[in-house]
Amino acid sequence: MENDMKLRLATCALMITAAFAATGANAQDKKALAFVVNGASDFWKLAEAGVKKAQEELPNYDLQFKYPEQAAAAVQQRLMDDLVAAGVSAVMVSAVDPKSSTDALNKVGAQVPLFTTDSDAPDTNRIAYIGSSNTDAGKQAGEIALKALPDGGKCIGFVGLPGADNARERIEGMKSVIAGSKVELVDVRGDDIDMTRAKRNVEDALAANPDIDCMVGFYSYNPPRIYEVLKESGKLGEITIVAFDEDPITLGGVKEGTIAATVVQQPYEWGYQGMKLMAKYLEGDKSMVPDNKLVIVPTKIIDKANVDAFEAELKARIGG
């Protein structure tokens, strides 16, 4: 009887050990997909919500959302190298400075499928880009400026990473629309996604150009910094603000009429569609990758007429 009990206990222990081993094996069998952003900004919360939604629909994958410690190409590259070394199966990245990082990005792309989002790196071996047409977004900013400044005026722009494709394309897109008009973009100042520097850039620009007519915030956090400085200096409502993205301060300014309008993207879709695209690709389904390797998620202009409906949609996606 005692021997039977010992046998049953031993068998039970073996079964428990086997169950834990199987659970561990299942966890290890999950392929990891990484979404790597270009720096710490609230803008990425929507993309993170999109990745979270994709995780619900991709239970056999481990979806990871990664922020580099600093908005620098070398820091971002180390993060991606570490992810590849840890066994990640595919990477999606908003490249900090693709022009100076071609070899480094190709190194990642030679080891795992590499996709880009937000800011493309078309000269690399990336599989596809999913995100906005930043040129079209820049053109929409130009349209806002022309409408808000019918008599013309001089604008100064502010942006995080002047070397990134998204910044360059937005600036060029805006310039193409205002070319030949009385609206000019006379300067663009970069801040390397440093919030203190972003605000100081606006303060310095205003001090050096007290008669400036318009300020353009090309990255999500730039319009709020413009708003803050103009409010503190008593110039809010006097200088036209052209914005990008959907920071709460930006949307509040659009509502009250102190910001002319904002060009918004759909980062939620980058996260959601991007993860599903990578999973399909790893499973051998390449039908979601178009011939031109560009999956464009449209941008749109948000002004006083549609800001309330847009804000309600945002809150529904990120749970308020």
Side-chain angles (χ1 to χ4, degrees):
M1 186 76 174
E2 187 177 340
N3 287 339
D4 286 347
M5 180 65 75
K6 286 180 179 178
L7 182 61
R8 283 199 296 272
L9 287 171
T11 302
C12 186
L14 283 170
M15 288 173 67
I16 292 170
T17 302
F20 276 115
T23 302
N26 287 338
Q28 291 174 354
D29 286 345
K30 284 188 177 184
K31 290 182 177 178
L33 309 179
F35 192 116
V36 179
V37 305
N38 57 6
S41 169
D42 285 348
F43 169 77
W44 290 113
K45 286 180 179 177
L46 278 164
E48 199 165 354
V51 170
K52 185 178 179 182
K53 176 64 176 174
Q55 180 69 83
E56 294 173 8
E57 299 178 21
L58 296 169
N60 296 326
Y61 290 87
D62 173 26
L63 307 188
Q64 302 177 9
F65 201 91
K66 299 290 185 180
Y67 290 86
E69 293 176 3
Q70 185 183 347
V75 176
Q76 187 183 60
Q77 187 61 40
R78 280 199 301 273
L79 173 57
M80 288 191 288
D81 288 343
D82 289 346
L83 288 167
V84 172
V88 74
S89 295
V91 174
M92 180 167 286
V93 62
S94 172
V96 168
D97 189 354
K99 293 291 182 288
S100 67
S101 309
T102 301
D103 291 344
L105 289 166
N106 282 339
K107 178 186 168 187
V108 174
Q111 298 174 83
V112 299
L114 176 68
F115 295 76
T116 54
T117 186
D118 180 45
S119 183
D120 197 9
D123 296 328
T124 67
N125 57 8
R126 59 101 167 100
I127 304 299
Y129 165 80
I130 180 168
S132 306
S133 165
N134 285 293
T135 299
D136 288 349
K139 288 178 178 178
Q140 288 173 316
E143 291 167 11
I144 295 169
L146 289 176
K147 184 178 178 180
L149 297 163
D151 298 324
K154 296 184 185 297
C155 300
I156 294 178
F158 304 91
V159 73
L161 304 166
D165 272 28
N166 60 355
R168 181 180 54 78
E169 290 171 2
R170 290 176 194 183
I171 294 163
E172 290 177 359
M174 182 174 183
K175 283 182 175 179
S176 73
V177 167
I178 62 176
S181 76
K182 293 181 180 179
V183 176
E184 295 179 78
L185 183 63
V186 296
D187 188 18
V188 180
R189 303 186 178 200
D191 55 57
D192 292 326
I193 313 186
D194 179 324
M195 300 304 128
T196 302
R197 187 174 159 197
K199 186 174 182 180
R200 189 169 65 245
N201 279 353
V202 182
E203 292 169 338
D204 292 348
L206 185 60
N209 304 272
D211 297 325
I212 197 72
D213 303 293
C214 160
M215 291 186 169
V216 185
F218 285 101
Y219 274 13
S220 63
Y221 57 85
N222 292 125
R225 302 295 83 78
I226 294 170
Y227 183 96
E228 290 166 1
V229 171
L230 294 186
K231 187 172 184 178
E232 289 165 5
S233 62
K235 295 272 190 175
L236 190 63
E238 295 179 18
I239 295 175
T240 295
I241 303 175
V242 178
F244 276 77
D245 301 316
E246 60 282 316
D247 187 279
I249 293 175
T250 301
L251 295 181
V254 172
K255 281 184 180 183
E256 68 185 21
T258 52
I259 293 179
T262 186
V263 180
V264 300
Q265 307 177 86
Q266 299 190 63
Y268 179 94
E269 296 298 335
W270 307 347
Y272 176 68
Q273 294 184 32
M275 294 296 103
K276 300 196 82 171
L277 173 66
M278 288 204 290
K280 287 282 188 187
Y281 188 87
L282 289 175
E283 291 161 11
D285 181 357
K286 300 179 183 179
S287 63
M288 295 174 71
V289 178
D291 291 340
N292 66 1
K293 300 184 177 181
L294 301 175
V295 181
I296 299 301
V297 182
T299 55
K300 55 185 175 181
I301 294 173
I302 301 299
D303 56 21
K304 212 166 185 178
N306 59 1
V307 64
D308 289 333
F310 175 73
E311 195 169 41
E313 180 187 335
L314 284 185
K315 287 180 177 177
R317 283 187 159 174
I318 58 173

